[in-house]
Amino acid sequence: MSPKYRRVLLKLSGEALMGDMPYGIDPKIVQAFASEITQVIRAGVQIAIVVGGGNIFRGMKGAAAGMDRATADYIGMIATVMNAMTLQDALEQMEIPTRVQTAIAMQEVAEPYIRRRAMRHLEKGRVVIFGAGSGNPFFTTDTTAALRAAEIDAEVIFKATKVDGVYDDDPRKNPQARRYKSLTYTHALTHNLAVMDSTAIALCKDNNIPIIVFSLNEPGNICRALLGESIGTIVGGSCEIS
């Protein structure tokens, strides 16, 4: 394997950890993700991960149900730590040294987020999983991924989702929807495309961090993206339809 990137940030949605379950964590899915991440690490790539918590609790849904928005977001942050610890365990079973760093102090189970320490872990070949979002309500884990990628000097963000890229319309509702091979940050923002939230895209634009959106449903896609194969959609280039 000849990797294209030296240091990457992988954004995993909490929903991806559910597999076909309606709620929670599917251990087989977590093991599969850990196996692919292990291949990336053994190729000499430094990898940091931001994981969501939507498989356990989503702050926006809690707020929509009448809960105080800040409280709901804090509960969502705690859910991301549960996912981070689960993924850490799966990676360490494969003998990959892993550290969980949280933006909210949880000293009995994880390190606090310290930028220089995170970068040192990466340099030593450890996987770093960032939990608890940014530590602030009203910000998504997408924004956290963009923020942490900028802080640790990641070359690219891999956004692994349940769809195989970014479309000009919802492919579940419109069978004629077309997938972008690449698109600009500005196009993604002005057309409100479902890549990341606008704050995250703007942060990537300001720091010139490309975003590669691809499907996790096909085994091996993380490695393919790492090798620079043309999969999914690249945000940060010119606009091109597949």
Side-chain angles (χ1 to χ4, degrees), residues 157-178:
I157 294 175
F158 290 165
K159 182 170 183 184
T161 69
K162 290 188 173 182
V163 295
D164 62 347
V166 181
Y167 286 77
D168 60 0
D169 198 3
D170 188 341
R172 293 170 297 184
K173 299 177 181 178
N174 179 7
Q176 304 302 317
R178 299 176 299 170

Side-chain angles (χ1 to χ4, degrees), residues 7-56:
R7 179 178 292 171
V8 305
L9 187 137
L10 174 63
K11 169 60 170 64
L12 283 175
S13 68
E15 288 87 346
L17 302 181
M18 292 191 303
D20 295 326
M21 297 169 59
Y23 171 86
I25 301 169
D26 184 339
K28 292 181 180 178
I29 293 293
V30 176
Q31 289 293 329
F33 291 164
S35 179
E36 286 203 44
I37 292 165
T38 296
Q39 294 179 55
V40 173
I41 288 294
R42 289 177 177 164
V45 178
Q46 299 172 14
I47 182 166
I49 302 171
V50 170
V51 62
N55 57 318
I56 299 171

Side-chain angles (χ1 to χ4, degrees), residues 176-203:
Q176 304 302 317
R178 299 176 299 170
R179 181 171 63 85
Y180 288 97
K181 184 175 181 180
S182 64
L183 70 157
T184 65
Y185 302 109
T186 301
H187 189 85
L189 286 167
T190 57
H191 290 76
N192 198 29
L193 298 176
V195 181
M196 287 180 159
D197 64 79
S198 58
T199 304
I201 296 172
L203 192 55

Side-chain angles (χ1 to χ4, degrees), residues 101-121:
Q101 291 196 343
T102 60
I104 298 173
M106 299 184 183
Q107 59 196 19
E108 285 80 11
V109 297
E111 297 179 2
Y113 171 66
I114 299 172
R115 173 179 173 268
R116 287 180 178 272
R117 182 179 290 178
M119 295 179 74
R120 184 60 174 159
H121 286 322

Side-chain angles (χ1 to χ4, degrees), residues 9 130 144-157 204 209:
L9 187 137
F130 298 119
T144 301
L147 175 63
R148 296 290 184 251
E151 287 182 301
I152 66 171
D153 299 326
E155 298 170 70
V156 63
I157 294 175
C204 289
I209 303 171

Side-chain angles (χ1 to χ4, degrees), residues 48-101:
I49 302 171
V50 170
V51 62
N55 57 318
I56 299 171
F57 188 90
R58 184 176 289 278
M60 289 292 287
K61 287 186 177 179
M67 184 179 287
D68 175 74
R69 172 64 191 275
T71 299
D73 281 351
Y74 281 121
I75 295 171
M77 291 179 212
I78 294 169
T80 71
V81 178
M82 296 168 68
N83 286 337
M85 293 175 65
T86 301
L87 188 55
Q88 178 188 37
D89 180 75
L91 285 165
E92 292 194 333
Q93 286 185 33
M94 297 185 178
E95 301 183 350
I96 299 298
T98 307
R99 300 291 185 272
V100 172
Q101 291 196 343

